Amino acid sequence: MSVVVYALICITSCNNDNCSGNSSGIPLAAFMNGDNAVTINNLTVYGIDAPNDSAIIRQTSANQVYLPLRITTTTCQYVMDYNTEGVDNDTITLNYDIIPYFESRECGAMYNFNITSWDYTKNAIDSVTIPDPLITNSDVVTIKIYVR
């Protein structure tokens, strides 16, 4: 009986179940019209100068999209391609500081980001707000993209 108890203690103390999701902060952007979330149909989002295939989503309907930041640079740009005739693409630029963060011995190190400034084109986008510029690995909307 004591061997079983020892094994259970070892199993529960030697896993990463206490680690929360991603190892780095990833901003979650929501598309908004006023106070309401909206869905953009046929949307493609990709990163400019991102390594490999930079498509984040490809020709799909979305009301939210993750915009991953890189630890090798302090600026990332994303193209919102609406795949709609007569609607030009938009570009969002995020400038940020990289903040290494030691979570715990089980989880190790991760990265948080602090958005220092942002810019965007105004084709289908009316405005972009970032209510809390500290990006952690919490799964919450951190960027609001207001569309026309």
Side-chain angles (χ1 to χ4, degrees):
M1 190 70 126
S2 64
V3 174
V4 173
V5 172
Y6 175 74
L8 286 175
I9 290 170
C10 183
I11 289 170
T12 59
S13 65
C14 297
N15 65 29
N16 288 342
D17 288 344
N18 295 330
C19 296
S20 53
N22 302 318
S23 62
S24 294
I26 301 176
L28 178 58
F31 297 101
M32 308 291 294
N33 188 332
D35 292 334
N36 301 317
V38 295
T39 298
I40 308 295
N41 295 317
N42 207 27
L43 179 67
T44 298
V45 177
Y46 60 90
I48 297 175
D49 295 330
N52 302 323
D53 181 4
S54 65
I56 298 167
I57 58 174
R58 191 180 311 270
Q59 292 187 327
T60 190
S61 296
N63 59 7
Q64 296 180 335
V65 62
Y66 285 99
L67 301 175
L69 302 174
R70 296 189 308 258
I71 60 170
T72 58
T73 184
T74 57
T75 299
C76 282
Q77 292 183 298
Y78 307 92
V79 173
M80 307 291 159
D81 183 345
Y82 305 107
N83 296 297
T84 302
E85 190 173 325
V87 180
D88 292 333
N89 296 347
D90 277 306
T91 301
I92 296 175
T93 303
L94 301 175
N95 300 299
Y96 52 91
D97 293 328
I98 303 164
I99 306 167
Y101 174 72
F102 182 74
E103 174 69 19
S104 68
R105 192 159 65 156
E106 295 89 14
C107 301
M110 60 180 58
Y111 292 95
N112 292 334
F113 301 92
N114 186 54
I115 306 292
T116 56
S117 64
W118 61 94
D119 196 15
Y120 51 91
T121 58
K122 296 182 178 181
N123 295 314
I125 293 177
D126 179 65
S127 61
V128 174
T129 64
I130 302 177
D132 183 0
L134 181 62
I135 308 301
T136 65
N137 67 342
S138 298
D139 193 24
V140 297
V141 172
T142 52
I143 300 172
K144 294 183 179 183
I145 302 170
Y146 293 89
V147 293
R148 300 179 196 278

